[in-house]
Amino acid sequence: MCFMKLGDRVKHWATFNEPAVIAGGYEGGMMAPGLKNQGGSVYRVTHNMLRAHALAWHTYDKSYREAQGGKVGITLNSDWVVPATDSEEDKQAVERFLQFQFGRFAHPIIHGDYPEVMKKQVLEKSHEQGLSSSRLPSFNDDEINLIKGTADFLGVNHYTTRYIAHQVAELMPPSLSGDQDLKGWHDEKWPKCGVGWLRPVPWGIRQLLKWVKAEYGDIPIYVTENGIAEVSEDTPTLNDTWRIQYYTAYINEVLKAYKLDDVDIRGYTAWSLMDNFEWADGYKSRFGLYYVDFNDPNRPRKPKASTEIFSQIVRNNGFPEKRADTKFSNTLKSTLSLFFP
């Protein structure tokens, strides 16, 4: 229906946004539908979403692509992660995190099957838990043929970076997180923001984009979400110098990935245009470039200071040449040391 009604104008389609978060709602209990089915549902939901994604891609490819000329992909989210030490165990833990988080969906779509490290890890854990087969479903030949090659692009949502260390998890109850045998945390020296899971670490986005290229080749990439939040129930926080710094620093790292690392980046989208309903956080976590008064039924908006800087970057398709007498230059210089000295 969407292809039929909107395809003459919409040329880029993402079948799912953050399917890892959707699947997590069947195990962790926080996200919709809020279930706590341990160890199996999260993988069955993953499996079904991959099949649904592929069917949507083939529908477009068969019935709409020739006439409409659009592209269909999927948007995946991931932190960047670095090993806590130089030990081989921690380096392997980093690889496990990336494959369980990002590769769980990208690998079947690009390569035709789940990552080997993921299959091995879940199978071994399942046997240790007394099961005769893996909790991770396997693809039959028809499913492999259906799913492999069904992405014209990858969308990448990224916000932060963490340290990762190897840590053997408790065997019971079975879980996606326990299958990975690792722990993660932020460096307390990194700056904070309005949500505890996000610490600004600009160089992480460049490293993630390089990793995606190394794993999946020169597939076109769109950075579909990237941003920072403050918490405010009622009082507008309009002088958001931290957001100015976040966007200028992160966009610069995306530019490095494009120009220096030859990553095929086709676009960048800030999250978000305006404050909105943020998953389980509701309205209190504000990622918007525009403040929204949710207490007013008319939902009036007010621009934050970051709108001017981000608008200039968009108008210039990059950073304007720095001049001491420009407002952009003066604002940028006044915030450069706020988060990232």
Side-chain angles (χ1 to χ4, degrees), residues 209-269:
L209 293 168
K210 288 169 61 178
W211 181 85
V212 173
K213 173 184 170 70
E215 285 288 310
Y216 305 112
D218 289 319
I219 187 169
I221 294 172
Y222 292 85
V223 177
T224 37
E225 286 186 25
N226 181 235
I228 189 171
E230 70 272 7
V231 171
S232 174
E233 297 285 357
D234 300 308
T235 306
T237 307
L238 302 180
N239 187 28
D240 57 342
T241 51
W242 54 87
R243 185 169 286 107
I244 293 170
Q245 177 57 23
Y246 185 98
Y247 280 133
T248 53
Y250 270 80
I251 291 171
N252 191 47
E253 292 296 323
V254 174
L255 182 63
K256 290 178 186 177
Y258 174 73
K259 299 195 74 168
L260 303 180
D261 307 321
D262 200 29
V263 180
D264 188 6
I265 301 167
R266 301 294 180 90
Y268 172 96
T269 304

Side-chain angles (χ1 to χ4, degrees), residues 90 93 96 125 165-170 178 180-183:
D90 286 355
R96 288 197 300 275
K125 289 281 187 178
H166 172 77
Q167 178 175 276
V168 177
E170 294 289 336
Q180 298 175 61
D181 281 339
L182 55 83
K183 62 177 179 178

Side-chain angles (χ1 to χ4, degrees), residues 139-215:
F139 295 109
N140 60 39
D141 289 343
D142 288 342
E143 289 173 328
I144 292 172
N145 291 332
L146 174 72
I147 295 168
K148 185 177 180 180
T150 57
D152 303 318
F153 65 88
L154 288 176
V156 175
N157 293 354
H158 172 79
Y159 291 89
T160 193
T161 291
R162 287 189 287 162
Y163 283 116
I164 291 290
H166 172 77
Q167 178 175 276
V168 177
E170 294 289 336
L171 195 58
M172 300 298 289
S175 67
L176 170 68
S177 59
D179 288 338
Q180 298 175 61
D181 281 339
L182 55 83
K183 62 177 179 178
W185 68 93
H186 293 115
D187 190 328
E188 286 304 314
K189 296 178 182 177
W190 294 342
K192 299 179 181 179
C193 74
V195 290
W197 56 266
L198 198 167
R199 299 287 186 99
V201 188
W203 49 263
I205 194 169
R206 179 184 179 187
Q207 298 307 313
L208 178 62
L209 293 168
K210 288 169 61 178
W211 181 85
V212 173
K213 173 184 170 70
E215 285 288 310

Side-chain angles (χ1 to χ4, degrees), residues 6-13 60 67-72 153:
L6 302 174
D8 60 327
R9 285 154 288 164
V10 177
K11 301 304 178 183
H12 293 84
W13 299 90
Y60 190 85
Q68 296 179 358
K71 306 288 185 183
V72 179
F153 65 88

Side-chain angles (χ1 to χ4, degrees), residues 39 43 47 104 114-115 118-119 122-123 126 134-138:
Y43 294 128
H47 214 68
R104 177 167 32 130
Y114 293 117
M118 183 178 171
K119 292 194 294 183
V122 180
L123 179 61
S126 298
S134 177
R135 288 179 284 105
L136 178 68
S138 58

